[in-house]
Amino acid sequence: MTPGASNARPAPAAIEVHDARVRLGDTDVLRGVNLRVPMGQMVALIGPNGSGKTTLLRCLLGLQRLDAGNVRILGEPVGPKVLRRVGYVPQRLPLDPSFALCVREFLALRRPDTRLWFFRRTRATDDILLRHAPGLGMEPLLSRPLSGLSGGQLQRVLIAYSLLGDPELLLLDEPTAGVDTPGEQDFYQLIGDVHARLGITIVLVSHDLGMVFRRASWVYALNGVICCEGRPEEVINANSLKAAYGIHVTPYHHHHHSHAPVPPEGVPITLHRR
Amino acid sequence: MPDFLMEPFMQRALLMALALGPACGLLGVFVTARRMSFFSDTIAHSALTGVAAGFLAGFEDPTLPVLSFCIMVAVTMLWLRERTRLLNDTIMAVLLSVSVAMGVILLSLQRNRWAELDKYLLGDVLSVGWSDVAWAAAAAVAVTVAVLASLNPLALLAAHEDLAHVSGARVRLLNYGFVILLTLAVSLSIRALGILLVTSMVVLPPATARMLVHTLRAHVLLTVAFGLTGAVGGVLLSYPLNLPTGPTVTMTFGALFAASLLVARLRSPARP
Ligand SMILES: Nc1ncnc2c1ncn2[C@@H]1O[C@H](COP(=O)(O)OP(=O)(O)O)[C@@H](O)[C@H]1O
Ligand SMILES: [Mg+2]
């Protein structure tokens, strides 16, 4: 069952992956991934470290060639044309501190209408940047150097950058890596707000299940293949997840509640490889 | 005006500095950001083989053989980086040492050319001809136009290569284009600074400017200003002081660097 299954006709898919296979070095990282993400949903892609989450995202973005299978995003094959409609927040911004770039200059790189001659600062540029990435607290950061931001600030700048392209699909790779725990709560709140406001498809990649319960409507568990998918409360208790792929879930081994187990704020539930 | 400024050799040297100082600095902004300083050094050292092979093939002016050989080495480096799992540093160290050894051996086969070794290792800007000036001016125009026209994608590429790709930048074209421009600027600057010191003109001006600014706009402007000041200033100083020109230019860059370090320290003692 998928989120759109109750409709008579399936909604157009934001992401369709058919039998994707990728081998890196001596490792078969993706071993036949099948995936269909309907439009407008906020979903999570989870899996232990090294399970191929980043590799799968790179395939969706045309950064990694498939050895077999195929990928379509927003109904089109991956290419420069469709990538214009996609936002991407990478796992890390390995920015060299010797590169001078302030937040305003970095954000302006995403929009042709702010590519003023040689980064001249104008009121109009700032207006465009703030209008297209509202609610992210960018205004006080605009003149700050990118290399001097905290993990949480940098993460918000990267989200603002991705939203400036007016994406229809937003892919976030481990968005809370490098953000402290209280910051994480704000962060998921912020992503939730973006989803509520824009109604775009959002894929959150994470090895942290805590947020999945509160935010995602559907969860895909990856370990070389999609080993399990469903609503968050189904996936976390799925025997197939534990047995078939050597993953177990802590600390919620058992529960006897009739409703979905919502972990307390700030307590991540993490998938481990056994 | 001091007499020595009327000398044509001095005018040619000053024009070389005027053209190449700012151009190398402009490229250097991205070279330092992308940790390519050693790359630039490798290209410079490979010029020795270009010089020796050029003489052996009967060229009086080795500019063209040097350019072709350096571009060949640069493209080989990019190719090896894409196709092998060797580390960048390793690839460059291999190409650098092999081209120096090959250059020296090829020169040793031509005893009458042995004296040229110093000229290329240490530079001799006071001996350049008008054709060298013309090459330098053409390279400076090409570098300035290309870098300013692709400033946005270059900046994005330096910030995050994958993000640049997803944002629609033509990453491969930019990488190759940038490396070819860098090769052009570095190999022509060898006549001024010599193989041993040419990287100083690429790396020192952006490093000097970086300590004083934190926007790309200011970084580019200040780097070009330092590149110009250091190159022209060094040539001007070397004559009355009767010092070798290339090392004097590098020392001028070094003095600017030290001054900028001091200013940055005084402004904010916590930061380097
Ligand atoms: N360039 C590479 N060469 C060889 N192996 C790689 C390469 N990149 C990633 N891998 C391997 O692929 C596997 C999946 O990596 P990745 O997609 O980053 O996982 P995740 O994002 O889920 O942590 C890991 O085992 C990793 O070691
Ligand atoms: Mg990853």
Side-chain angles (χ1 to χ4, degrees):
Chain A
M1 193 179 96
T2 59
S6 55
N7 297 346
R9 241 184 318 148
I15 298 173
E16 272 174 296
V17 179
H18 181 68
D19 196 34
R21 290 168 193 274
V22 170
R23 187 179 175 87
L24 294 173
D26 303 329
T27 325
D28 285 311
V29 180
L30 301 182
R31 301 184 297 270
V33 171
N34 288 290
L35 181 71
R36 187 174 186 282
V37 178
M39 294 276 194
Q41 303 276 332
M42 178 145 147
V43 303
L45 178 67
I46 58 166
N49 286 323
S51 57
K53 304 182 296 296
T54 298
T55 307
L56 180 54
L57 269 202
R58 291 173 57 82
C59 293
L60 298 178
L61 294 163
L63 293 164
Q64 172 66 52
R65 206 193 307 262
L66 295 174
D67 294 326
N70 70 71
V71 170
R72 291 173 80 83
I73 49 177
L74 301 170
E76 292 182 43
V78 181
K81 188 161 150 276
V82 75
L83 285 178
R84 265 182 240 143
R85 298 153 63 200
V86 176
Y88 168 50
V89 177
Q91 192 165 354
R92 281 177 301 270
L93 188 68
L95 191 76
D96 198 299
S98 72
F99 191 41
L101 200 64
C102 69
V103 171
R104 173 184 293 108
E105 289 173 329
F106 175 67
L107 292 178
L109 292 174
R110 189 65 186 102
R111 291 191 69 86
D113 55 353
T114 59
R115 287 181 188 180
L116 294 170
W117 170 241
F118 200 47
F119 298 112
R120 273 245 309 287
R121 179 186 176 175
T122 69
R123 193 65 243 168
T125 307
D126 287 5
D127 285 346
I128 293 173
L129 296 180
L130 296 174
R131 195 167 59 245
H132 283 83
L136 291 166
M138 283 301 107
E139 192 157 14
L141 298 181
L142 286 178
S143 296
R144 296 272 302 275
L146 207 53
S147 52
L149 300 179
S150 74
Q153 288 169 330
L154 184 58
Q155 210 52 259
R156 276 189 290 141
V157 168
L158 288 172
I159 291 174
Y161 177 91
S162 67
L163 291 179
L164 283 167
D166 297 327
E168 293 161 50
L169 170 63
L170 186 56
L171 306 172
L172 300 109
D173 196 355
E174 306 269 6
T176 56
V179 180
D180 52 32
T181 308
E184 262 180 49
Q185 299 306 320
D186 300 345
F187 181 82
Y188 289 122
Q189 180 68 45
L190 199 144
I191 299 289
D193 292 348
V194 167
H195 183 245
R197 181 159 44 86
L198 301 175
I200 59 179
T201 312
I202 298 183
V203 179
L204 286 162
V205 170
S206 183
H207 65 274
D208 159 15
L209 264 183
M211 63 86 190
V212 161
F213 282 88
R214 291 185 296 275
R215 302 291 170 193
S217 59
W218 202 255
V219 178
Y220 303 85
L222 179 70
N223 203 352
V225 295
I226 297 293
C227 53
C228 177
E229 68 172 282
R231 283 198 297 278
E233 65 274 19
E234 294 167 353
V235 168
I236 203 165
N237 291 303
N239 283 324
S240 60
L241 188 68
K242 301 169 192 171
Y245 297 99
I247 294 171
H248 71 258
V249 177
T250 53
Y252 285 83
H253 291 293
H254 312 286
H255 72 93
H256 304 286
H257 307 290
S258 54
H259 51 272
V262 177
E265 296 279 307
V267 178
I269 295 178
T270 310
L271 290 176
H272 300 283
R273 198 199 293 268
R274 182 167 278 159
Chain B
M1 193 155 67
D3 280 351
F4 69 92
L5 289 183
M6 304 300 289
E7 304 281 358
F9 71 86
M10 197 63 195
Q11 290 170 351
R12 285 193 294 264
L14 283 171
L15 285 174
M16 284 288 274
L18 195 67
L20 293 171
C24 285
L26 199 54
L27 293 168
V29 168
F30 299 98
V31 169
T32 50
R34 303 186 64 193
R35 301 172 188 240
M36 288 170 70
S37 307
F38 193 32
F39 192 103
S40 143
D41 219 26
T42 305
I43 292 169
H45 281 76
S46 67
L48 200 59
T49 301
V51 170
F55 285 144
L56 205 59
F59 283 86
E60 249 335 288
D61 173 4
T63 305
L64 267 180
V66 166
L67 262 181
S68 337
F69 191 76
C70 289
I71 287 179
M72 217 174 74
V73 169
V75 170
T76 307
M77 265 191 283
L78 285 183
W79 189 83
L80 285 174
R81 198 161 73 172
E82 285 174 11
R83 298 302 164 92
T84 69
R85 300 177 72 182
L86 296 171
L87 288 175
N88 282 344
D89 282 5
T90 313
I91 295 171
M92 291 188 276
V94 168
L95 289 171
L96 185 150
S97 44
V98 169
S99 14
V100 168
M102 185 148 78
V104 172
I105 287 176
L106 289 181
L107 264 186
S108 75
L109 298 177
Q110 318 162 65
R111 283 291 159 199
N112 57 326
R113 294 292 190 184
W114 188 248
E116 305 265 355
L117 187 60
D118 273 2
K119 189 164 133 189
Y120 286 93
L121 280 182
L122 300 171
D124 184 10
V125 74
L126 300 184
S127 76
V128 300
W130 285 112
S131 70
D132 295 303
V133 175
W135 271 107
V141 170
V143 165
T144 309
V145 168
V147 170
L148 290 184
S150 49
L151 199 60
N152 284 294
L154 275 178
L156 201 49
L157 198 61
H160 197 291
E161 192 159 314
D162 288 350
L163 212 51
H165 166 91
V166 174
S167 308
R170 298 167 72 182
V171 171
R172 207 146 181 269
L173 184 73
L174 280 168
N175 271 333
Y176 276 83
F178 182 76
V179 159
I180 285 173
L181 283 176
L182 180 62
T183 306
L184 189 68
V186 164
S187 55
L188 292 172
S189 302
I190 285 171
R191 287 306 308 275
L193 282 170
I195 286 167
L196 293 179
L197 290 177
V198 68
T199 299
S200 70
M201 192 149 74
V202 177
V203 172
L204 279 172
T208 306
R210 180 63 186 98
M211 292 185 284
L212 304 174
V213 300
H214 61 250
T215 68
L216 184 58
R217 177 184 164 81
H219 194 202
V220 168
L221 290 173
L222 205 56
T223 298
V224 168
F226 282 139
L228 189 73
T229 315
V232 174
V235 171
L236 283 175
L237 283 174
S238 71
Y239 191 82
L241 296 178
N242 197 21
L243 293 172
T245 311
T248 309
V249 168
T250 299
M251 286 307 287
T252 312
F253 284 134
L256 288 171
F257 182 85
S260 152
L261 192 65
L262 193 69
V263 170
R265 280 250 163 214
L266 290 177
R267 280 204 319 205
S268 136
R271 266 192 342 196

